[in-house]
Amino acid sequence: MTNARKPATRALPVLCALAVVLSSCTGSPSGPAGTSTSGSSPVPQSSTTFTTPGPSPTTQTAVPRGVQVEEKLDVGLQLPWSVVFLPDGTAVVSERDSATVKAIRDGQATLVGEVAGVVPGGEGGLLGLALSPGFATDRWLYAYFTSSSDNRIARVQLTRDGSGDLRLGPAEVVFSGIPKASTHNGGRIRFGPDGLLYVGTGDSQRREQPQDLEALGGKILRLTPEGRPAPGNPFGDSPVYSYGHRNVQGLAWDSGGRLWASEFGPDVDDELNLITPGGNYGWPTVTGAPGRQGFLDAKVVWPSTGEASPSGLEIVDGVAYTGALRGQRLWAIPLDGESAGTPVAFLTGEFGRLRDVAAAPDGALWVLSNNRNPDFALVLRLER
């Protein structure tokens, strides 16, 4: 890759911190308990403290009043990692360790096929899925997976056999060379509003990679559907779109076309980031929102990874929803332009580790569990 130039970045000042009390009432959010302004200490409580740099958004009321579990689909999933939806509403799910793709429709799961070349291990295996923007005609399903030597992206055609059942075609690798390890493999992929493929990678336990523009680890990449560096990328003929990441787990766009990403911190400072082309998000030099020159601050910081470990990300009606693994809850974060408000927790401790969040064509919000085999999918309705 060509290191064409260094980006001009600047840190965003930390203007406020908010303390939030968490409750575990069924379907009810955990709301804010107190606030503090810059220069003062948060209200001392046994609670989560959020750092939300910048002005508070004006859309706090956008957070739903509650979350209703419409269905709990106990369909025998084995460590599901990602879910996408076909135009007819069929859910297509990847399983990390089995390397298989399953389809869920009318409350039943069926085997679609196994992705060739997947070598599971640790946090690696069959990870993110994405549908081609032209899926109605080209039938391409993209998959991020761990092979014997690296993490890579392949596309397979998703067709129907004579009985109408979904089947996978042969895998065509379109991008390879993303470093692998037992942990920090990244894995989230998603097509953006521009029709290009965005890829969240991890540092693969190689702490020198996130700040190295010649390396693929610790980055968000931007590719053409054929797997080439996208035109207009910030570093010339390079797939790198942003850098200084530790382990990107969720990608989603708001109604204004802004890209947001959820990211695992080390033992502190899980993050929700607003992604700027060419932006440096600091890892491993800094985490969270320290206001250091040359680095971009996270928009939301969970200082305790025990409350979050944010994974899959979806944005609906101006609210970002992310599933928490260690935190075992669904977080809802109101967005207002480039600002993020106070996170609110739902389903705290009720369903264990939550891996992915995705909006279905019928308006429901799907959440995948990631506990122990078998796992399940939740179908949620947001109460306004």
Side-chain angles (χ1 to χ4, degrees):
M1 291 186 291
T2 302
N3 183 352
R5 60 180 176 87
K6 292 287 183 181
T9 60
R10 57 185 180 87
L12 303 177
V14 178
L15 298 182
C16 62
L18 301 114
V20 175
V21 172
L22 300 180
S23 66
S24 58
C25 299
T26 302
S28 298
S30 302
T35 62
S36 67
T37 57
S38 180
S40 63
S41 299
V43 177
Q45 298 182 38
S46 177
S47 63
T48 300
T49 301
F50 303 102
T51 302
T52 52
S56 296
T58 58
T59 56
Q60 292 284 354
T61 54
V63 174
R65 293 181 295 106
V67 169
Q68 177 185 356
V69 179
E70 190 170 84
E71 292 183 87
K72 179 174 178 283
L73 300 175
D74 291 303
V75 291
L77 299 176
Q78 309 288 314
L79 290 174
W81 211 91
S82 179
V83 57
V84 295
F85 294 92
L86 304 187
D88 66 0
T90 300
V92 178
V93 177
S94 63
E95 292 185 342
R96 189 190 71 188
D97 287 2
S98 71
T100 59
V101 174
K102 290 182 177 177
I104 303 175
R105 187 167 179 82
D106 298 327
Q108 302 293 321
T110 57
L111 177 64
V112 178
E114 182 176 338
V115 177
V118 179
V119 179
E123 295 176 359
L126 180 57
L127 304 176
L129 299 178
L131 288 181
S132 162
F135 179 81
T137 54
D138 63 33
R139 309 294 295 183
W140 285 121
L141 172 70
Y142 287 71
Y144 182 115
F145 67 90
T146 310
S147 75
S148 60
S149 59
D150 59 6
N151 287 297
R152 52 185 56 186
I153 301 166
R155 61 183 182 181
V156 296
Q157 285 197 311
L158 191 59
T159 59
R160 294 191 183 275
D161 61 19
S163 302
D165 295 327
L166 290 168
R167 291 289 179 261
L168 294 181
E172 173 190 340
V173 175
V174 297
F175 193 82
S176 60
I178 302 168
K180 63 171 280 188
S182 60
T183 61
H184 304 188
N185 286 291
R188 194 66 59 189
I189 58 175
R190 198 161 187 178
F191 279 94
D194 54 9
L196 297 170
L197 183 63
Y198 291 74
V199 181
T201 75
D203 70 2
S204 65
Q205 303 176 21
R206 298 169 175 88
R207 291 167 64 96
E208 76 283 356
Q209 288 215 357
Q211 294 296 318
D212 180 1
L213 290 173
E214 299 294 332
L216 296 175
K219 307 294 193 300
I220 292 177
L221 311 177
R222 182 170 175 257
L223 308 172
T224 67
E226 295 74 31
R228 294 188 290 271
N233 276 359
F235 304 110
D237 188 25
S238 164
V240 175
Y241 190 69
S242 65
Y243 68 112
H245 298 287
R246 182 174 182 269
N247 197 10
V248 176
Q249 293 290 292
L251 300 169
W253 286 261
D254 63 23
S255 60
R258 290 172 286 262
L259 173 59
W260 297 77
S262 55
E263 182 168 346
F264 288 165
D267 55 347
V268 295
D269 293 351
D270 289 327
E271 300 176 353
L272 177 68
N273 287 300
L274 174 62
I275 302 303
T276 298
N280 182 353
Y281 291 82
W283 178 256
T285 307
V286 299
T287 61
R292 285 274 298 275
Q293 186 176 1
F295 304 115
L296 292 176
D297 282 348
K299 294 297 184 178
V300 175
V301 180
W302 289 267
S304 169
T305 57
E307 306 290 353
S309 298
S311 188
L313 182 68
E314 185 65 283
I315 298 175
V316 179
D317 296 334
V319 179
Y321 298 90
T322 184
L325 292 169
R326 287 188 63 195
Q328 299 189 13
R329 66 201 73 185
L330 177 69
W331 285 110
I333 306 103
L335 306 177
D336 182 21
E338 296 185 355
S339 299
T342 305
V344 177
F346 295 91
L347 309 178
T348 302
E350 295 183 45
F351 296 101
R353 294 160 54 87
L354 303 181
R355 169 62 73 178
D356 197 17
V357 183
D362 65 358
L365 196 67
W366 280 49
V367 177
L368 299 180
S369 77
N370 229 201
N371 298 301
R372 58 184 65 87
N373 297 335
D375 278 295
F376 50 85
L378 299 173
V379 182
L380 308 178
R381 294 289 174 179
L382 306 175
E383 299 173 355
R384 299 295 184 181

